[in-house]
Amino acid sequence: MNGKRRRTLLKAGGTLLISLLTPITARAAQILAVRVWPADDYTRVTLENDSVLKTRHFIIKNPERLVVDIEGVDLNPTLKSLVAKVQSNDPYIKQIRVGQNKPNVVRLVFDLKEEVDPQVFTLKPIGEYQHRLVFDLYPVNPPDPIAALIEKGQWSIGDEPPTEMPPAVAQADPPYAQPKSERPPQVTRMLTIALDPGHGGEDPGAIGRRGSYEKNVVLQIAKRLKGKLEQQPNMRVMLTRDGDYFVPLGRRVQKARKVQADLFVSIHADAFVKPTANGSSVFVLSEKGASSTTARWLANKENAADLIGGANIKHHDKQLASVLLDLSTTAQINDSMKLGKAVLTEIGGINRLHKGSVEQAGFAVLKAPDIPSILIETAFISNPSEEARLNDDAYQDRMADAITNGIKKYFAANPPLAKSRML
């Protein structure tokens, strides 16, 4: 063996020996994206990363601060960008400060506007997301939804005196109306309608071929519908979300019950694996299985919203979960079916119906035991032509008109009963 070759082998062997003796240090986790979702209910901050992060957090008083130490992370430009993502009108965060506290530990300091109850948890990869570290900052003194309606002039303290019911839209009784002899005495009072724009925040819902997000389209339709319903002399409306933020499915139902809603209307724009699928649909709850394979598939997809949007499963209200799972009644489903038929008939006047009857499936968001509840799929956002219609102001307006007329016909045929205050 010549000297040159010998020197080369010795050098390679020395390099290998050094590499074996050198301790292996763990690669720092990479922060891929940071997002801030402010809302009246709470503010969410999300760090998306390529591995599970280990954290510890604590509160410092006077002034209120939340301190979070994240291990195994180096400060990178993405993490630094979190500072600029806090909006001045955020209800709960003044600012966020970010720094390298010590090697492989980044410290976040949330300067707060009021006392919060922080929930810090991680989410496993799902859909388009990798690992997520989530900070939900809930106020210690949460806003009261009825107080919010009072502030807007939509709810009087002690509730309002009786007001006039809307006149029946049709002269003849529709097929879903009760016979006149069986109808209960008409009660005149304010009617509270909970409108539930699906998805939001971390959960975009279905995404159209042209890039439209379901969460944006349905919020626009819900706001149009809210305006039209509030033009009625005896109706007021509560939105389960009025901006781009995530609301867990159970929380949506809880919000409706807190304002003693008479109806719950969830608004969506569905998608299917085939872009040719089209038409509008109305769904109500089923306790005995879905009315079709498509209905079952869609309910499973919508019920996954908590996984995608990021519900903190460990902090779910156990009492609420019990109510949703155990107390859904036949009476609620029967009333929901009447509402669904009235709305479906009206929607059929502006768009093809995917199916000519109200469908049923186990949608989690329809499980309020004491509120007639429907879920409307306004059109298929996965169908290019229907995606264009969903983004059209005129179509959104006609859809809101149709739902309004359906709700008015439902109440004309099924006058509301007197209501004792719900717990």
Side-chain angles (χ1 to χ4, degrees):
M1 184 181 292
N2 61 40
K4 184 176 181 182
R5 181 172 173 77
R6 185 183 296 112
R7 285 194 299 274
T8 301
L9 289 172
L10 288 171
K11 184 177 180 181
T15 302
L16 177 62
L17 181 63
I18 291 171
S19 67
L20 290 173
L21 295 175
T22 303
I24 298 173
T25 57
R27 182 183 66 85
Q30 295 298 307
I31 304 297
L32 306 174
V34 294
R35 297 178 287 273
V36 180
W37 307 97
D40 289 342
D41 296 355
Y42 73 113
T43 290
R44 166 170 288 190
V45 177
T46 304
L47 308 184
E48 188 177 354
N49 39 277
D50 63 357
S51 59
V52 178
L53 297 179
K54 184 179 179 182
T55 68
R56 72 182 192 97
H57 67 277
F58 53 93
I59 292 285
I60 300 177
K61 313 294 288 183
N62 300 317
E64 294 287 330
R65 284 157 288 168
L66 169 65
V67 179
V68 181
D69 287 336
I70 308 173
E71 298 181 15
V73 174
D74 290 327
L75 194 57
N76 68 357
T78 302
L79 199 46
K80 288 180 180 178
S81 72
L82 182 61
V83 173
K85 291 187 181 291
V86 178
Q87 302 173 20
S88 60
N89 62 349
D90 189 299
Y92 305 110
I93 303 176
K94 287 182 184 176
Q95 64 176 355
I96 300 177
R97 292 175 280 146
V98 182
Q100 192 80 47
N101 192 36
K102 52 187 178 182
N104 287 329
V105 177
V106 167
R107 172 165 287 187
L108 309 181
V109 179
F110 297 76
D111 293 314
L112 304 170
K113 293 181 177 179
E114 63 178 80
E115 191 178 0
V116 301
D117 176 19
Q119 295 182 13
V120 181
F121 57 101
T122 58
L123 297 168
K124 296 178 181 179
I126 186 172
E128 300 295 320
Y129 293 119
Q130 295 199 40
H131 294 273
R132 283 175 289 171
L133 174 63
V134 180
F135 309 96
D136 283 350
L137 308 184
Y138 285 93
V140 169
N141 300 304
D144 183 341
I146 291 181
L149 290 173
I150 292 173
E151 187 177 340
K152 295 174 184 176
Q154 295 179 326
W155 195 294
S156 300
I157 297 175
D159 217 345
E160 300 81 352
T163 57
E164 293 298 319
M165 285 294 295
V169 177
Q171 296 299 316
D173 287 341
Y176 44 82
Q178 299 172 353
K180 288 185 172 63
S181 60
E182 297 178 12
R183 293 182 196 175
Q186 181 167 306
V187 176
T188 53
R189 61 172 175 80
M190 282 294 288
L191 303 170
T192 305
I193 300 168
L195 297 182
D196 175 51
H199 310 282
E202 294 284 291
D203 175 19
I207 301 174
R209 293 291 183 93
R210 301 178 185 178
S212 305
Y213 283 6
E214 179 183 5
K215 66 175 182 178
N216 297 333
V217 167
V218 298
L219 180 60
Q220 292 164 5
I221 294 174
K223 287 183 174 180
R224 291 178 187 272
L225 177 56
K226 179 178 186 289
K228 292 177 184 297
L229 289 172
E230 288 176 343
Q231 291 173 7
Q232 306 304 313
N234 67 323
M235 294 186 189
R236 60 190 169 207
V237 174
M238 184 275 295
L239 289 171
T240 59
R241 71 175 180 95
D242 58 6
D244 187 11
Y245 52 90
F246 173 69
V247 183
L249 298 175
R251 185 73 63 184
R252 295 167 186 264
V253 179
Q254 188 180 51
K255 284 186 168 191
R257 298 188 80 231
K258 280 188 175 180
V259 298
Q260 306 169 57
D262 293 280
L263 298 180
F264 180 93
V265 179
S266 193
I267 302 172
H268 293 256
D270 55 2
F272 197 63
V273 291
K274 295 181 179 179
T276 52
N278 64 91
S280 302
S281 307
V282 176
F283 295 84
V284 303
L285 182 66
S286 170
E287 294 182 298
K288 299 178 181 178
S291 57
S292 70
T293 302
T294 302
R296 183 184 304 109
W297 179 86
L298 185 63
N300 290 338
K301 175 174 160 290
E302 297 294 0
N303 291 346
D306 278 356
L307 299 176
I308 298 168
N312 188 4
I313 304 300
K314 293 180 181 178
H315 285 78
H316 271 188
D317 186 328
K318 292 181 180 178
Q319 183 180 2
L320 172 65
S322 174
V323 167
L324 298 183
L325 291 174
D326 299 336
L327 297 182
S328 295
T329 64
T330 301
Q332 186 262 29
I333 292 175
N334 288 343
D335 286 339
S336 300
M337 187 64 78
K338 294 173 185 175
L339 171 63
K341 288 179 179 178
V343 171
L344 188 71
T345 299
E346 294 298 318
I347 290 177
I350 68 160
N351 193 30
R352 176 188 178 275
L353 296 179
H354 186 67
K355 191 171 181 180
S357 59
V358 177
E359 295 203 71
Q360 292 183 262
F363 291 91
V365 80
L366 300 181
K367 291 187 177 181
D370 41 15
I371 306 172
S373 303
I374 62 173
L375 185 146
I376 302 170
E377 295 287 1
T378 52
F380 278 84
I381 202 169
S382 55
N383 180 302
S385 61
E386 291 206 336
E387 178 185 7
R389 297 186 77 188
L390 285 167
N391 283 286
D392 179 66
D393 288 346
Y395 180 77
Q396 289 188 6
D397 211 55
R398 290 197 300 273
M399 179 60 66
D401 277 331
I403 299 170
T404 299
N405 289 337
I407 289 172
K408 289 169 63 178
K409 284 188 175 182
Y410 167 78
F411 279 125
N414 304 276
L417 301 176
K419 178 183 289 187
S420 58
R421 196 168 184 86
M422 291 189 293
L423 299 176

